[in-house]
Structures are given as structure tokens and as C-alpha cells.
Amino acid sequence: MTILVTGGAGFIGSNFVLDWLAHHNEPVVNLDKLTYAGNLNNLAAVHGDPRHHFVRGDIGDTNLVTRLLHEYQVRAVLNFAAESHVDRSIAGPAAFIDTNVVGTFQLLEAVRSYWSGLAIEVQAGFRFLHVSTDEVYGSLTPDAPAFDEQHCYAPNSPYSASKAASDHLVHAWHHTYGLPVLTTNCSNNYGPFHFPEKLIPLVIHNALAGKPLPIYGDGRQVRDWLYVLDHCSAIRRVLEAGTPGETYNIGGCNEMANIDVVHTVCAILDELRPRPDGVTYAAQVSFVKDRPGHDRRYAIDAGKLERELGWRPQETFQTGICKTVEWFLTHQDWVEDVTSGAYRDWVEKQYADGHPRP
Ligand code: NAD
Ligand code: DAU
């Protein structure tokens, strides 16, 4: 048996592949387009591991997906592939519609066709797990209860609208065709391999480079932060024991305002890598123009996942953020590679004709 992971060279997908292979012997086919956000260096630890098969390609490439499903006799598809950055979706939404909406539709159709041809008993065990976000629920007022699975969808950005559309497609493919799907809606992740366009890795990178730490608006927007390996363990648990057709919210019970997150990161850096002049990194904070349509607060109620499947996060924000800052301090070569463009140049040469060079 084999699982097919899409987007497995991105931040969460690569953490998931590494985590999966640390817990299971079941092989992984990893299908990733290697956009700017995909990075094979994230998977260096499994380079040459016969359980990991990397394929560069698009989830919307029906022929390729169909071939992989048959060739590896896939028993579960985990769909991480997406355009994921809200600011990029505001600047240019087209790629978000192409991958998150149309790509997910094409993936669902390829999987449905493969699944329909399986023997009845194999069909029953098959799973399509769709990785989604808390942003589909929209924005909460300060005292409103956290999002549970019954919360209405009210996406506000091109990114969250495209993810909401993909969630609806996934639900419809279950309701109409009986495809055994699982959907997870997770809060903000952080941890190793986080691309330095997102708040936490951007702040670490800019702090060390002596650059301003940009805080949108008043910095009082609230996010619910989850260490990425806790997200991975939740997905493994949902895949193992979730009920087809159901949605599971995943969160860290760690609501924090952005400005407090940034001050926490600065304090850890002050401790581990003090500035030569002795001044705190917090002095680099710079309030900038707000993100258009910026959602004020997200919070996840992960009670269903705990009650029904016994999952709880292992990390608090304090333990997770210390690990994360330490990881970035000891992996400056990784940061340098993704920020300098050297990695992208390498990908373009390596995959010039669509296939890896020997
Ligand atoms: P990411 O941007 O770091 O990685 C996305 C990966 O998908 C990249 O490797 C990219 O190359 C690949 N990809 C993009 N388009 C593709 C396509 N058409 N075909 C194949 N591969 C493609 O994203 P992430 O932060 O790792 O997020 C992974 C998933 O989790 C996304 O679906 C996202 O919506 C969801 N999510 C993210 C967070 C978060 O905090 N980052 C929280 C909740 C949910
Ligand atoms: O909630 C889950 C979502 O979390 C995922 O679905 C998305 O894929 C992921 O990108 C993330 O979205 P956010 O927009 O919440 O993450 P980001 O790191 O971009 O921003 C976190 C908060 O920090 C948000 O309120 C905007 C703010 N911010 C962000 C950046 C990049 C700043 O104040 N300054 C910045 O420079």
C-alpha cells in the first residue's frame, strides 16, 4: 500500500512526509509542482530512501495523477497542494483559482475515476484527505466562541475563498459520488521549513538581517498558532480513524495577537543571538499599512478531534516557538538558499524538460 501526498515539498507537506516516514514503513508518492514555495531541500533527510518517490507535477494533470494512482496502487490521497499565502492572493488571485479550485476539481475527478474501479472492499478503505484552513470561516469578534465544524463558511480573501470552494467540492464528491473524503481545517502553523514570506519566519529573517519587522495595521489581529508537527500528528490520526464525510478542526489553543508573537520571537532571539549593540530586536518593529480586508481574529475549537479521536497538541506556543527559532538559527543556509534565489535557479535547471536530471 502507498499514500499519495500532494504538495509534499511545501512547508506542511514536507514536514508531513518526514513525520510519516518516521512513524510508518508505508511508502509515499510525493507529487509537487515545485512552485516558489516547494523546496526539495526540505526532503533532504529522505533523499535516497526507497519509501519516498518524488514526482514533479501538477495536481491538475489528470493523466499524470491517474498514472501514479494505478502504478503505486494508492490507498489514500492527502491533498496539501495549494497556493497558500494570503498577500499573494490579494496581489494576484489567478493562481489560487487555478490550483486551489480547478486543480482540486481535477484531482477529485482523477481520484474518483480510479476509486470507482477498485474492488468493493478496497473502495471502502480508500481515503481522500483534504487539508484546509480555518480562514474559510471568516473573521471572529473578540468574544465570539471559537470556530467549530458547524460554523458557517464566510471567506474574506481570494485565498480563503478559493480554499472554501475546494472544501465544497470535496464535500460534494462525498455526498454525490460516495468518495470517502475527510476534511481538516487547521489554524496557523509554524515550525521548520516555514517559507520566509509568512509572519514568523519573516520576522526571524529580518531581525537577523537588521531589517524592519513589518506589523500590519495595529498588530492586534489574533491567530491561533499550532506547531507544524502537531498538525502532522492530527492528520495521521484523522486518516487512521476519521469518519468519511466528516470535517475535523485542528488548532493549538494558542490564540495570540501578532504583536505579541513578534515580541516573543524577539525575546528568544535576544537570548540566543543578542544583537552586537545589546539593543533588543523589538526595536526593529515597524508598523506598516494594513493588509486589505485583514481578518481580525481566528480561533479553532478542536474539541471534536479530541473527543472522537483522542488527539491533542503536544507543544505549547512557548515550547514550539523556542524550537522554531532554534531551527532557523541552525539552518541559516536553508534560509539563504530560498531567499537568494539560488534554489529556484537550481530547480529550473534541474527540471528544464520536466524531469529531474540524473
Ligand atoms: P506551501 O505554500 O508552503 O506549500 C504548498 C506546496 O504545494 C508547495 O510545495 C507547492 O510547490 C505545491 N503546489 C502548489 N501548486 C501545486 C499544484 N498545482 N500541483 C502540485 N503541487 C502544487 O503551503 P503550506 O503552508 O505547506 O500549506 C499546505 C496546505 O495546508 C495548503 O492546502 C494550505 O491551504 C493548508 N493550510 C496551511 C496552513 C498554514 O498555516 N501554513 C494552515 C492551515 C491549512
Ligand atoms: O489560518 C491559517 C492560515 O494561516 C493558512 O491557511 C495560510 O495558508 C497561512 O499563510 C496563514 O495565513 P495568515 O495570513 O494568517 O498568515 P501570515 O503569516 O501571512 O500572517 C499572520 C498574521 O500576521 C496575519 O494577521 C497578517 C500578519 N502579518 C503578516 C506578515 C507577512 C504582519 O503583520 N506582517 C507581515 O509581514
Side-chain angles (χ1 to χ4, degrees):
M1 305 302 274
T2 302
I3 61 166
L4 171 62
V5 168
T6 73
F11 163 46
I12 305 173
S14 60
N15 274 287
F16 181 83
V17 169
L18 299 179
D19 184 62
W20 178 266
L21 293 175
H23 286 88
H24 297 263
N25 264 329
E26 186 176 3
V28 177
V29 186
N30 183 349
L31 173 65
D32 195 296
K33 189 176 173 180
L34 295 182
T35 67
Y36 79 95
N39 188 341
L40 286 176
N41 290 338
N42 301 4
L43 298 158
V46 290
H47 185 71
D49 187 324
R51 298 170 302 162
H52 180 237
H53 309 276
F54 181 80
V55 179
R56 188 184 193 190
D58 195 313
I59 56 169
D61 183 341
T62 308
N63 291 337
L64 173 62
V65 172
T66 302
R67 178 171 70 70
L68 294 175
L69 290 167
H70 285 279
E71 187 177 325
Y72 290 96
Q73 298 191 10
V74 168
R75 63 113 184 156
V77 175
L78 290 92
N79 185 30
F80 292 86
E83 290 293 335
S84 70
H85 192 41
V86 174
D87 294 325
R88 284 181 189 257
S89 84
I90 295 167
F96 289 72
I97 306 305
D98 289 347
T99 285
N100 301 0
V101 185
V102 181
T104 302
F105 158 70
Q106 284 163 326
L107 179 66
L108 279 167
E109 278 296 78
V111 171
R112 178 167 76 91
S113 164
Y114 166 75
W115 171 78
S116 311
L118 296 173
I120 298 290
E121 62 280 8
V122 186
Q123 269 189 2
F126 186 88
R127 296 289 181 269
F128 181 98
L129 191 152
H130 180 61
V131 178
S132 192
T133 170
D134 58 359
E135 300 205 8
V136 297
Y137 297 123
S139 187
L140 288 169
T141 54
D143 300 322
F147 302 126
D148 65 13
E149 290 79 0
Q150 270 67 53
H151 202 94
C152 292
Y153 272 40
N156 288 317
S157 71
Y159 163 69
S160 56
S162 69
K163 290 296 290 186
S166 69
D167 292 10
H168 290 317
L169 292 172
V170 169
H171 286 284
W173 261 239
H174 172 71
H175 188 80
T176 305
Y177 305 113
L179 189 70
V181 307
L182 298 157
T183 304
T184 56
N185 292 86
C186 189
S187 61
N188 284 61
N189 284 217
Y190 64 98
F193 306 119
H194 206 179
F195 196 84
E197 65 186 353
K198 309 276 166 59
L199 179 68
I200 288 177
L202 179 84
V203 162
I204 299 171
H205 178 61
N206 282 13
L208 295 172
K211 293 183 183 164
L213 313 181
I215 309 287
Y216 297 161
D218 64 1
R220 302 305 315 168
Q221 302 83 4
V222 171
R223 298 291 183 267
D224 176 356
W225 294 94
L226 180 71
Y227 189 62
V228 65
L229 288 175
D230 277 328
H231 189 184
C232 296
S233 74
I235 290 173
R236 281 193 283 109
R237 184 67 191 137
V238 172
L239 180 65
E240 176 180 62
T243 304
E246 291 290 314
T247 292
Y248 298 90
N249 283 356
I250 308 173
C253 261
N254 273 312
E255 280 188 64
M256 280 181 85
N258 294 337
I259 187 69
D260 297 332
V261 168
V262 172
H263 280 141
T264 304
V265 169
C266 289
I268 299 169
L269 285 172
D270 287 341
E271 182 83 23
L272 298 180
R273 186 70 59 86
R275 271 177 35 163
D277 61 6
V279 174
T280 171
Y281 286 101
Q284 291 167 229
V285 163
S286 165
F287 288 90
V288 298
K289 198 163 154 265
D290 208 351
R291 171 186 279 174
H294 199 171
D295 282 339
R296 195 70 184 164
R297 175 178 168 238
Y298 305 137
I300 278 280
D301 175 351
K304 174 177 173 180
L305 188 51
E306 181 171 358
R307 281 190 309 277
E308 297 187 8
L309 304 185
W311 175 88
R312 268 166 162 260
Q314 297 299 302
E315 303 288 346
T316 63
F317 187 69
Q318 200 55 40
T319 60
I321 196 68
C322 283
K323 286 184 181 179
T324 302
V325 174
E326 279 165 17
W327 187 89
F328 276 92
L329 286 174
T330 51
H331 291 80
Q332 283 295 297
D333 49 342
W334 181 91
V335 178
E336 171 62 23
D337 218 30
V338 291
T339 50
S340 71
Y343 171 71
R344 291 246 48 86
D345 293 346
W346 176 83
V347 167
E348 292 323 318
K349 283 199 200 97
Q350 176 76 353
Y351 288 91
D353 59 357
H355 298 288
R357 283 168 196 272

